[in-house]
Amino acid sequence: MRRALLIGFLTLATVGVLAAVFGPALEDGDRLWPLAWVLWAPVGGLILIQRPGNRVGTAALAVGLAWGLGFGLLTVSSIMPAGPAAAWAELINVLLGVFPWMAIIWLVLVFPSGDYAGRAERIVGRALIGFGLLVTAGFAVNPAPMEETGLSSPLAVPALRDVAAVITADQSFLFVIGFVLAAIVLVVGRSRRSQGVERLQFRWLLVGALAFMSIMAIGQVVPEGSDGELLWILGGSAIPGAIGIAVLRYRLFEIDRIISRSVSYTVVVGFLAAVYVGGVTGLTSLLPDQSRLVVAATTLAVAALFNPVRRMVQDLVDRRFNRSRYDTQRVMDRFAGSLRDQVDSEEVVDGWVGVVAETMQPAAVGVWVREGS
């Protein structure tokens, strides 16, 4: 894809999102929602620049572009007088709203290489494309009034009213759930069979998905109008960010460290929060007249426990999620301890070479020693 065309797509996607954020189409509580999709197009464009022809990048760019155009058309239709132009703008917006969800599922089917890994992925992918085209046609010919303008589709076919109503009914969403489950099963199977770099790529996808679900779940309970609504932006950026790292292999090998740190700090924070709440509640019931002293003492106790608990939990988590770092650290600690008993420089060099060979496994190791040292 030519860079000029790519820049044009990125511009359209960004302008559309910003138009929805600052325009009159959305209510105040929904204005930040478009920003949750703002990273898809840039990530897709970057992948296509660095990995030309990779269909993961094409799908990511299409997701961002579809949302950007959809938000832009939603803004246009909200300020236009009722008429054929407004009806066309809303219809295209409705049709574009179908596309991103289909593209995300399809992206999972071809991740990370950009091609179908097997026959099952190809069957599900083609069925997904067929279903997407069917739903798109259903919305196009549906004569029912559209939500924003109250006008019927310019392509409405009254004779197909009943068929279109069935295709676009809420029950059709069950098919989407079926495609999602099928994609998850297939990607988990590919992940379990993967090795080396590909396995790390699947781990990044998993971390992005978990971060998205966790942040969005927290965002559901954030009060409207608060700064906490910025979580929607962070959550929406989690999956495209992880996909970009995985496909471009940027800091790919840090995934084990990220997983281990995330798990360990979650456990530590949860444990210390339980200790704090339990300590304050229990001691306050025993010493009701000393509540301030109880809170201060419990806070100091939790602060004192943080580092010991963190080190213990980090060690346990590294054994499970970051084994290479755990083993490397053990080798280095053993070598550092042996230095206290070494006085012969040759033995020190031999020990150092052994550490490098064991932890990094290079093809060859050489040591330059200055004469007279």
Side-chain angles (χ1 to χ4, degrees):
M1 185 179 295
R2 294 182 178 180
R3 291 202 177 190
L5 183 60
L6 191 58
I7 292 173
F9 287 156
L10 294 177
T11 302
L12 286 174
T14 305
V15 169
V17 168
L18 294 179
V21 172
F22 297 104
L26 300 177
E27 298 179 357
D28 291 341
D30 297 327
R31 287 190 182 277
L32 293 181
W33 166 245
L35 292 176
W37 302 94
V38 74
L39 194 62
W40 281 92
V43 167
L46 187 60
I47 290 175
L48 290 175
I49 291 174
Q50 299 294 327
R51 302 281 191 276
N54 189 307
R55 290 191 287 180
V56 172
T58 303
L61 175 63
V63 170
L65 182 60
W67 276 115
L69 290 175
F71 286 129
L73 288 171
L74 178 64
T75 304
V76 170
S77 64
S78 67
I79 60 178
M80 292 178 63
W88 274 107
E90 184 172 3
L91 174 62
I92 297 174
N93 174 43
V94 171
L95 300 183
L96 287 172
V98 176
F99 189 79
W101 305 107
M102 302 294 107
I104 291 174
I105 300 173
W106 187 82
L107 184 153
V108 173
L109 291 172
V110 299
F111 180 86
S113 66
D115 296 314
Y116 294 121
R119 184 179 180 183
E121 285 83 359
R122 184 174 290 104
I123 292 174
V124 174
R126 290 177 177 175
L128 175 69
I129 293 172
F131 175 75
L133 293 175
L134 179 64
V135 172
T136 301
F139 278 111
V141 301
N142 192 353
M146 293 182 288
E147 184 176 352
E148 296 296 329
T149 61
L151 301 173
S152 296
S153 165
L155 301 177
V157 180
L160 298 177
R161 179 187 300 272
D162 295 336
V163 176
V166 172
I167 294 174
T168 59
D170 293 340
Q171 289 77 6
S172 296
F173 189 71
L174 295 176
F175 287 96
V176 178
I177 295 177
F179 283 116
V180 170
L181 294 177
I184 291 175
V185 170
L186 292 173
V187 78
V188 168
R190 296 201 307 277
S191 175
R192 292 176 65 88
R193 295 191 301 269
S194 64
Q195 295 179 348
V197 169
E198 191 177 59
R199 172 160 293 191
L200 296 178
Q201 291 175 308
F202 281 113
R203 287 185 183 179
W204 270 106
L205 180 63
L206 173 63
V207 168
L210 292 177
F212 169 78
M213 291 186 291
S214 301
I215 295 172
M216 288 302 184
I218 297 173
Q220 294 292 336
V221 299
V222 171
E224 289 189 4
S226 67
D227 293 338
E229 286 192 331
L230 295 174
L231 286 172
W232 290 104
I233 306 172
L234 184 61
S237 301
I239 293 180
I243 289 172
I245 292 172
V247 175
L248 297 177
R249 303 182 184 182
Y250 175 74
R251 296 189 179 276
L252 184 66
F253 294 91
E254 293 187 7
I255 184 61
D256 289 334
R257 182 180 179 86
I258 291 174
I259 293 175
S260 68
R261 289 296 184 272
S262 300
V263 172
S264 62
Y265 278 100
T266 301
V267 172
V268 170
V269 170
F271 174 76
L272 294 181
V275 170
Y276 180 81
V277 173
V280 170
T281 303
L283 292 176
T284 301
S285 62
L286 295 175
L287 303 170
D289 298 331
Q290 304 291 331
S291 58
R292 292 186 178 179
L293 180 61
V294 166
V295 172
T298 306
T299 303
L300 291 174
V302 169
L305 285 173
F306 178 78
N307 278 328
V309 172
R310 181 188 63 80
R311 284 193 293 266
M312 181 184 67
V313 171
Q314 189 67 66
D315 188 58
L316 293 173
V317 171
D318 279 344
R319 294 184 191 181
R320 176 64 182 87
F321 295 100
N322 197 10
R323 187 74 195 188
S324 60
R325 178 189 176 277
Y326 175 75
D327 292 339
T328 299
Q329 189 63 47
R330 289 181 61 191
V331 172
M332 294 178 65
D333 290 343
R334 188 169 62 246
F335 173 66
S338 68
L339 289 178
R340 289 191 291 267
D341 303 323
Q342 296 288 351
V343 293
D344 188 350
S345 60
E346 291 186 2
E347 293 182 0
V348 172
V349 171
D350 290 341
W352 181 83
V353 170
V355 168
V356 172
E358 186 174 354
T359 57
M360 303 183 68
Q361 299 180 353
V365 179
V367 180
W368 177 76
V369 180
R370 188 172 59 184
E371 291 184 5
S373 60

